């Protein structure tokens, strides 16, 4: 008695099973090949998923595969295609995926059309021969590590449409000499220009409120920088080892000066710390061997660990009555420091705070 009922139930489910199979077929696209491309098609749009690395020279990427428009260059699609020299992306493409052209070490030029609205993480990272790039005005975000390690990149045009530049986006672009961050950019990521050893100047717009950790770390040719009044935070190691930076004026809105912020800036002779700063971070000016004098404003309540250690020609320092603590090794090795007045407000002086101040009288 039960068997016919079971069969009728199965028959009843067949149309639904057919719909599920059709739906699955539209979601899971099968890879196909039209040399030198491997691609998938989903909902009538083609995505390039792989490329034959034996192809060499100049490439104008096709705008159609399998009779469908190419709209996406997939993640790692052209990864390590070391024989490509020039690439033109067609206007059908709207998205360039993560690592799309990463490690294309002979790629010298890429044309990105205005149809592209998004470029993925590390899309052009380690393209060591890429010397210039124009980002179209359709792009609003430069993702993390986009041009990381592009050691031949001498210039880049960032359009006004860009609002965010991701972490380490231009890290280790050792040939990049100058850059203008447009006024619409409100956020720049950690280490964004870290290790750009040829960068001599940078324009930071008033739309930026935070200079993040390691933003310009190791920019050894950076001789000057103008920090706008909108900036309230200088992150940890933001300018450390900027060995050509001779002076810096922090705007009146800065409230936070991070650890190691200007450490190793061996040419830094003068610095203006505004009255808005409440604490000087650990090792903030460590090893600034050209720093002759410094005035700490009356807003500062604490001087961090090793804040001025190794400032070997620092001859005088004024500590205001607002300061309550001087951190360990704060002035360690300041061999030219001959005079310092410690106010009665100070209740804590750390270990070795003035150790190695051999002429301190």
């Amino acid at each position: 008695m039960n068997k016919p009922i079971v069969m009728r139930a199965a028959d009843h489910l067949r149309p639904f099973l057919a719909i599920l199979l059709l739906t699955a077929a539209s979601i899971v696209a099968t890879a196909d090949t039209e040399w030198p491309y491997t691609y998938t098609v989903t909902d009538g749009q083609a995505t390039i998923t792989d490329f034959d690395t034996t192809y060499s020279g100049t490439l104008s990427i096709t705008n159609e595969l399998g009779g469908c428009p190419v709209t996406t260059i997939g993640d790692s699609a052209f990864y390590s295609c070391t024989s490509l020299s020039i690439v033109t992306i067609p206007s059908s493409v709207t998205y360039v995926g993560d690592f799309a052209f990463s490690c294309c070490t002979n790629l010298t030029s890429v044309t990105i059309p205005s149809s592209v609205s998004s470029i993925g993480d590390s899309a052009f990272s380690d393209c060591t021969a890429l010397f210039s790039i124009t980002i179209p005005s359709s792009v609003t975000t430069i993702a993390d590590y986009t041009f990381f390690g592009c050691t031949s990149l001498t210039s880049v045009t960032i359009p006004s449409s860009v609002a965010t530049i991701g972490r380490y986006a231009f890290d280790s672009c050792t040939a990049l000499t100058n850059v203008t961050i447009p006024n619409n950019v409100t956020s720049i990521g950690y280490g964004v220009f870290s290790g750009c050893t040829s960068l001599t100047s940078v324009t930071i717009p008033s739309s930026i409120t935070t200079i993040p950790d390691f933003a310009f770390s190791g920019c050894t040719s950076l001789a000057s920088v103008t920090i706008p009044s909108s900036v309230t935070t200088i992150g940890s190691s933001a300018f450390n080892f900027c060995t050509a930076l001779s002076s810096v004026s922090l705007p009146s809105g800065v409230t936070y000066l991070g650890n190691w912020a200007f450490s190793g800036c061996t040419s830094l002779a003068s610095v203006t710390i505004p009255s808005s700063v409440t604490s000087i971070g650990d090792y903030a000016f460590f090893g600034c061997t050209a720093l002759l004098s410094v005035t700490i404003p009356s807003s500062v309540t604490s001087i961090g660990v090793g804040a001025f250690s190794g400032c070997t020609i620092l001859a005088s320092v004024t500590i205001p009555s607002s300061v309550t603590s001087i951190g360990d090794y704060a002035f360690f090795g300041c061999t030219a420091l001959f005079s310092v007045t410690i106010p009665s407000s100070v209740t804590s002086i750390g270990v070795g705070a003035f150790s190695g101040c051999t002429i301190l009288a």
Side-chain angles (χ1 to χ4, degrees):
M1 293 295 290
N2 290 335
K3 189 173 180 180
I5 297 172
V6 172
M7 293 298 292
R8 284 197 296 272
D11 291 341
H12 181 67
L13 288 172
R14 281 174 185 167
F16 296 99
L17 291 171
I19 291 169
L20 286 172
L21 288 170
L22 288 170
T23 303
S26 66
I27 293 172
V28 182
T30 303
D32 207 344
T33 300
E34 287 184 22
W35 193 89
Y37 307 97
T38 300
Y39 67 96
T40 59
V41 173
T42 303
D43 296 330
Q45 297 181 333
T47 296
I48 297 173
T49 58
D50 203 359
F51 187 80
D52 194 324
T53 56
T54 63
Y55 187 103
S56 63
T58 300
L59 174 69
S60 292
I61 296 173
T62 183
N63 63 1
E64 186 178 292
L65 286 168
C68 299
V70 174
T71 59
T72 301
I73 296 175
D75 295 348
S76 304
F78 292 86
Y79 180 84
S80 201
C81 289
T82 56
S83 295
L84 287 178
S85 57
I86 298 172
V87 169
T88 300
I89 299 171
S91 59
S92 59
V93 170
T94 59
Y95 176 70
V96 177
D98 298 347
F99 295 94
F101 295 92
S102 179
C103 295
C104 293
T105 52
N106 285 303
L107 187 63
T108 60
S109 176
V110 178
T111 300
I112 304 173
S114 58
S115 57
V116 172
S117 59
S118 182
I119 299 173
D121 294 352
S122 300
F124 299 96
S125 62
D126 294 307
C127 290
T128 53
L130 188 66
F131 64 87
S132 69
I133 190 83
T134 299
I135 301 167
S137 58
S138 51
V139 171
T140 58
T141 298
I142 297 175
D144 298 345
Y145 299 92
T146 300
F147 299 100
F148 174 89
C150 292
T151 54
S152 297
L153 190 64
T154 57
S155 65
V156 62
T157 301
I158 301 173
S160 58
S161 57
V162 170
T164 302
I165 302 175
R167 297 174 299 166
Y168 306 102
F170 296 94
D171 187 343
S172 301
C173 291
T174 53
L176 192 63
T177 57
N178 61 76
V179 65
T180 298
I181 302 172
N183 290 329
N184 285 346
V185 172
T186 57
S187 173
I188 55 177
Y190 287 9
V192 60
F193 295 102
S194 178
C196 292
T197 54
S198 296
L199 189 66
T200 58
S201 64
V202 62
T203 301
I204 301 172
S206 57
S207 51
I208 297 291
T209 59
T210 298
I211 297 177
D213 298 353
F214 299 97
F216 299 95
S217 175
C219 292
T220 53
S221 297
L222 188 63
S224 65
V225 61
T226 301
I227 301 171
S229 58
S230 56
V231 170
T232 60
T233 299
I234 307 289
S236 298
S237 302
F239 294 94
N240 72 335
F241 297 105
C242 290
T243 53
L245 191 62
S246 59
S247 66
V248 65
S249 179
L250 303 177
S252 59
V254 171
T255 58
Y256 178 78
L257 187 59
N259 300 337
W260 306 91
F262 294 94
S263 63
C265 293
T266 53
S267 296
L268 189 63
S270 66
V271 60
T272 301
I273 302 173
S275 58
S276 51
V277 171
T278 58
S279 65
I280 297 173
D282 296 347
Y283 304 99
F285 297 95
F286 169 78
C288 292
T289 53
L291 192 60
L292 182 61
S293 66
V294 64
T295 299
I296 300 170
S298 58
S299 55
V300 170
T301 60
S302 64
I303 299 172
V305 173
F308 295 95
S309 59
C311 295
T312 52
I313 70 167
L314 185 63
S316 66
V317 62
T318 301
I319 301 174
S321 58
S322 56
V323 171
T324 59
S325 66
I326 299 172
D328 296 348
Y329 307 103
F331 296 92
F332 174 83
C334 293
T335 53
L337 189 63
F338 66 87
S339 175
V340 63
T341 300
I342 301 173
S344 59
S345 57
V346 172
T347 58
S348 173
I349 298 176
V351 174
F354 296 93
S355 178
C357 298
T358 52
I359 66 168
L360 186 60

